[in-house]
């Protein structure tokens, strides 16, 4: 992973190691932060499912971990929260909120919002056979719609985003076009297709 500060030119490089056969290398992440000239300033290390540490290493790179012999120079950058018990798929509390449908929210959502996917809802409720059936049905429906578009020579156009170029990086990205909020305020979701 590369994270760049476009103002200062500093770049953080992170390498997420594959799990491998040894438990000692599981979830390992290593990295460094370099200045605009590419000179190392910080070394980073730890486990992405537990803790990540950093150490100021101007001009050189070093191995960093919680067991670092020079631990006085190493500090904790990030720590994961404990996972609550009884939640399937080892999900975090934050991830669970991403698909939550609290009271009053459903009425504000477009019919294409992924929180309304019947297969996801069935999976979360432990109805695995129904989830599998619904997943197959939804995917087949979406494939049929794509084939229909191709037959008619139509190109899919996103409803809420358009292509733009970032003025800082020069890279293309999907910019929000503001139409979502117009539809949400009016309650008119007619621009949405029936995808579920």
């Amino acid at each position: 992973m590369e994270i760049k500060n476009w103002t200062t030119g500093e770049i953080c490089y992170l390498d997420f190691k594959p799990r491998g056969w040894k438990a000692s290398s599981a979830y390992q992440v290593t990295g460094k932060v370099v200045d605009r000239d590419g000179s190392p300033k910080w070394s980073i290390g730890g486990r992405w499912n537990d803790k990540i540490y950093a150490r100021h290493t101007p001009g050189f790179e070093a191995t960093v971990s919680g067991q670092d012999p020079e631990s006085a120079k190493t500090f904790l950058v990030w720590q994961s929260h404990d996972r609550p018990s009884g939640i399937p798929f080892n999900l975090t509390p934050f991830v669970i909120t991403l698909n939550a449908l609290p009271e009053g929210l459903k009425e504000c959502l477009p019919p294409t919002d992924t929180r309304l996917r019947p297969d996801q809802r069935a999976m979360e409720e432990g109805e695995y056979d129904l989830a599998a059936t619904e997943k197959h049905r939804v995917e087949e429906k979406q494939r049929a719609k794509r084939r229909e578009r191709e037959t008619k020579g139509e190109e899919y156009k996103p409803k809420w985003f358009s292509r733009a170029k970032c003025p800082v990086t020069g890279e293309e990205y999907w910019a929000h076009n503001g139409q979502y909020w117009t539809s949400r305020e009016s309650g008119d979701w007619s621009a949405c297709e029936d995808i579920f």
Side-chain angles (χ1 to χ4, degrees):
M1 175 186 294
E2 182 179 309
I3 307 161
K4 183 171 184 177
N5 182 326
W6 289 88
T7 304
T8 66
E10 295 165 312
I11 303 174
C12 176
Y13 298 101
L14 296 175
D15 182 22
F16 296 86
K17 306 288 185 195
R19 166 123 173 130
W21 292 99
K22 298 179 186 175
S24 62
S25 64
Y27 316 111
Q28 190 176 21
V29 61
T30 59
K32 64 182 176 181
V33 176
V34 299
D35 64 17
R36 72 172 56 247
D37 300 318
S39 177
K41 296 296 176 190
W42 295 89
S43 294
I44 299 170
R47 300 194 186 288
W48 57 261
N49 69 334
D50 184 24
K51 298 175 184 171
I52 298 176
Y53 298 89
R55 180 173 158 201
H56 192 220
T57 53
F60 67 96
E61 295 177 44
T63 302
V64 179
S65 74
Q67 289 77 40
D68 192 336
E70 297 189 56
S71 59
K73 297 178 183 178
T74 301
F75 65 94
L76 182 66
V77 175
W78 174 85
Q79 181 174 356
S80 70
H81 290 287
D82 290 334
R83 303 281 171 102
S85 60
I87 296 176
F89 313 114
N90 204 23
L91 299 175
T92 65
F94 172 70
V95 170
I96 290 169
T97 67
L98 296 177
N99 205 41
L101 268 174
E103 193 73 36
L105 179 62
K106 188 174 181 177
E107 297 77 38
C108 301
L109 297 177
T112 54
D113 192 289
T114 59
R115 289 170 282 197
L116 303 176
R117 277 186 68 130
D119 55 328
Q120 279 188 190
R121 194 59 52 207
M123 181 69 100
E124 288 182 355
E125 293 170 1
E127 299 176 34
Y128 303 119
D129 290 339
L130 175 61
T133 302
E134 281 297 290
K135 181 177 187 298
H136 179 73
R137 183 190 63 78
V138 167
E139 288 174 348
E140 284 303 314
K141 183 175 184 174
Q142 292 173 354
R143 285 186 192 105
K145 185 64 175 178
R146 186 180 66 235
R147 286 190 297 269
E148 179 184 322
R149 269 197 203 95
E150 289 170 357
T151 302
K152 293 179 178 178
E154 297 174 355
E155 188 175 327
Y156 176 77
K157 185 177 179 202
K159 308 289 185 253
W160 320 124
F161 297 90
S162 57
R163 282 283 203 195
K165 190 169 278 202
C166 177
V168 177
T169 67
E171 295 179 9
E172 274 196 355
Y173 73 104
W174 288 100
H176 191 264
N177 63 20
Q179 295 304 308
Y180 172 85
W181 295 110
T182 303
S183 292
R184 183 169 171 165
E185 287 171 14
S186 68
D188 178 11
W189 299 111
S190 59
C192 297
E193 295 180 15
D194 175 18
I195 63 172
F196 303 137

